């Protein structure tokens, strides 16, 4: 099996070592997989990506992309890599088309015109407009097109769906699936759990600059953390709720209880009904809930 990205003890401290943005990261991304890099704001995702792109240099540690050192061979690496930055800065006074032509010059392969048209149609992007007249979402779409248009072997995408409306988000997910089917490898950072569950094969969970776990997405899904809001006043004793298998935490609210459950919900729901709870809401957890209950 070959790894397209390998990092060893990759570390970045800012402000004379006061900010430990990334600490001794050991990460391997396999050829052909979609790897999700999940973490809350400030976790170190962008720092990792900027290191991989050789936009900043590590405090210590090394990394390889395509088996090549990221600092010594960054020019060669970038010829077969598609990159979507978290913050997009494009020259404002040119059209989308001029921008595409400009970026086309940097890559190994010329962008296939048919594929480019396919990408533009997918996202309904008008490239005759000047970039300064693009909305935030349209700038994001243009940046996606720039990252994908050469059919790169590896895509590194920092929060790729930020600024996209739900329809275009879905379009983006289907694009990821189709490039994966064509053999591309993807590393994408996100703080959205459903996004990772939708497109990733494996996820790395990062917080405070440390990689806490790497999970296959199916194992991650099996944890199936849910937040259940019960509106029952205090008719059910707290201890009874705590005793239900699959319930990890119970807290009182003004109108009832908040329960954190994990695993299969069927038994939990049966037990709740047995205790007389006939009205409840089941919600997706936040990233913080997941960290709190699994990766403390
Ligand atoms: P977000 O989802 O908010 O973009 P992130 O996971 O990408 O977060 P990073 O941007 O990598 O996180 O930031 C990691 C930590 O490093 C944060 O505490 C951030 O404030 C800090 N940091 C990032 N860049 C610098 C810098 N140039 N100088 C000092 N501290 C920095």
């Amino acid at each position: 099996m070959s790894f397209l990205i390998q990092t060893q003890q990759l570390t970045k401290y800012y402000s004379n070592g006061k900010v430990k943005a990334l600490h001794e990261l050991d990460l391997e991304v396999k050829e052909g997989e979609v790897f999700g890099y999940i973490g809350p704001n400030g976790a170190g995702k962008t720092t990792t990506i900027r290191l991989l792109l050789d936009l900043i240099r590590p405090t210590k540690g090394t990394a390889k992309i395509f088996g090549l050192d990221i600092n010594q061979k960054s020019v060669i690496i970038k010829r077969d890599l598609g990159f979507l930055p978290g913050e997009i800065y494009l020259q404002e006074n040119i059209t989308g088309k001029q921008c595409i032509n400009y970026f086309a010059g940097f890559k190994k392969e010329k962008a296939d015109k048919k594929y480019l048209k396919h990408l533009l149609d997918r996202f309904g992007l008008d490239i005759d407009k000047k970039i300064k007249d693009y909305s935030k979402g349209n700038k994001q779409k243009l940046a996606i097109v720039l990252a994908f248009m050469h059919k790169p072997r590896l895509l590194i995408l920092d929060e790729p769906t930020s600024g996209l409306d739900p329809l275009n988000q879905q379009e983006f997910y289907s694009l990821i699936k189709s490039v994966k089917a064509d053999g591309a490898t993807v590393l994408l950072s996100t703080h959205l759990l459903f996004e990772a569950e939708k497109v990733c094969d494996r996820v790395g969970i990062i917080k405070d600059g440390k990689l806490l776990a790497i999970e296959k997405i199916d194992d991650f899904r099996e944890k199936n953390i849910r937040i259940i809001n019960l509106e029952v006043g205090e008719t059910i004793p707290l201890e009874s709720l705590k005793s239900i298998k699959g319930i990890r935490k119970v807290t009182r609210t003004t109108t009832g209880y908040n329960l954190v459950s994990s695993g299969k919900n069927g038994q939990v729901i049966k037990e709740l009904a047995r205790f007389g709870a006939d009205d409840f809401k089941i919600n997706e957890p936040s990233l913080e809930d997941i960290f709190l209950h699994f990766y403390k």
Side-chain angles (χ1 to χ4, degrees):
M1 174 188 311
S2 75
F3 297 109
L4 288 205
I5 301 177
Q6 283 174 297
T7 73
Q8 272 187 339
Q9 305 271 295
L10 194 64
T11 298
K12 181 70 183 177
Y13 299 155
Y14 295 110
S15 310
N16 291 324
K18 279 189 220 119
V19 180
K20 295 186 167 39
L22 187 67
H23 186 69
E24 299 186 349
L25 174 74
D26 290 318
L27 183 70
E28 288 177 328
V29 176
K30 298 177 207 166
E31 175 141 40
E33 75 175 334
V34 178
F35 190 96
Y37 202 39
I38 313 186
N41 288 343
K45 305 181 296 294
T46 299
T47 297
T48 308
I49 288 177
R50 290 171 64 79
L51 285 166
L52 290 174
L53 268 289
D54 195 34
L55 299 172
I56 51 173
R57 289 283 164 106
T59 306
K60 65 170 189 169
T62 56
K64 286 181 178 170
I65 292 182
F66 308 137
L68 304 170
D69 183 276
I70 53 163
N71 299 134
Q72 286 162 19
K73 301 286 181 190
S74 78
V75 175
I76 300 174
I77 291 170
K78 282 179 196 164
R79 301 192 82 195
D80 210 3
L81 186 138
F83 171 47
L84 178 70
E87 305 253 331
I88 297 160
Y89 299 103
L90 295 168
Q91 215 182 312
E92 295 275 309
N93 232 346
I94 57 172
T95 63
K97 195 181 204 163
Q98 286 170 317
C99 181
I100 287 172
N101 288 339
Y102 174 73
F103 279 97
F106 293 115
K107 297 291 169 171
K108 199 177 72 180
E109 305 279 345
K110 276 220 152 103
D112 172 345
K113 280 204 177 128
K114 242 169 97 185
Y115 186 60
L116 180 59
K117 182 169 182 315
H118 164 79
L119 288 175
L120 296 173
D121 289 347
R122 237 179 206 272
F123 292 106
L125 190 64
D126 174 1
I127 53 169
D128 293 322
K129 270 190 183 174
K130 286 211 167 158
I131 291 176
K132 65 175 185 242
D133 296 330
Y134 276 18
S135 64
K136 186 172 184 292
N138 278 341
K139 280 187 190 160
Q140 187 72 10
K141 290 185 206 171
L142 178 59
I144 291 173
V145 170
L146 294 174
F148 282 75
M149 67 183 182
H150 293 88
K151 299 192 173 174
R153 187 174 170 205
L154 173 66
L155 284 140
I156 297 185
L157 312 170
D158 195 356
E159 308 258 356
T161 56
S162 84
L164 294 187
D165 61 33
L167 221 62
N168 282 296
Q169 278 179 14
Q170 295 307 320
E171 205 50 64
F172 174 80
Y173 300 143
S174 96
L175 177 61
I176 291 285
K177 284 184 182 152
S178 75
V179 298
K180 177 183 150 73
D182 288 341
T185 305
V186 182
L187 169 69
L188 70 85
S189 83
T190 183
H191 60 272
L192 305 171
L193 286 175
F194 79 89
E195 181 160 294
E197 289 189 357
K198 200 159 181 103
V199 293
C200 297
D201 301 304
R202 290 193 305 150
V203 288
I205 321 266
I206 179 171
K207 189 167 191 254
D208 298 331
K210 292 190 189 130
L211 187 67
L212 302 181
I214 292 181
E215 305 247 21
K216 286 190 191 138
I217 203 70
D218 291 340
D219 297 341
F220 190 70
R221 264 196 215 109
E222 256 179 34
K223 291 187 170 45
N224 194 32
I225 291 203
R226 290 291 175 263
I227 310 296
I228 304 174
N229 306 128
L230 273 186
E231 303 279 323
V232 288
E234 290 189 10
T235 51
I236 305 176
L238 185 122
E239 289 311 315
S240 305
L241 294 172
K242 277 189 175 165
S243 69
I244 298 175
K245 190 165 175 272
I247 294 291
R248 302 178 73 95
K249 194 177 170 197
V250 183
T251 43
R252 276 188 211 281
T253 62
T254 46
T255 50
Y257 295 102
N258 256 349
L259 317 179
V260 179
S261 74
S262 93
K264 301 224 183 322
N265 276 317
Q267 195 56 35
V268 171
I269 290 166
K270 270 189 213 148
E271 289 288 302
L272 287 176
R274 195 167 70 82
F275 285 126
D278 51 9
D279 194 15
F280 43 81
K281 261 193 236 144
I282 301 185
N283 298 313
E284 290 254 325
S286 67
L287 207 48
E288 284 304 325
D289 293 322
I290 298 268
F291 282 121
L292 211 62
H293 295 286
F294 281 102
Y295 307 107
K296 261 186 221 166

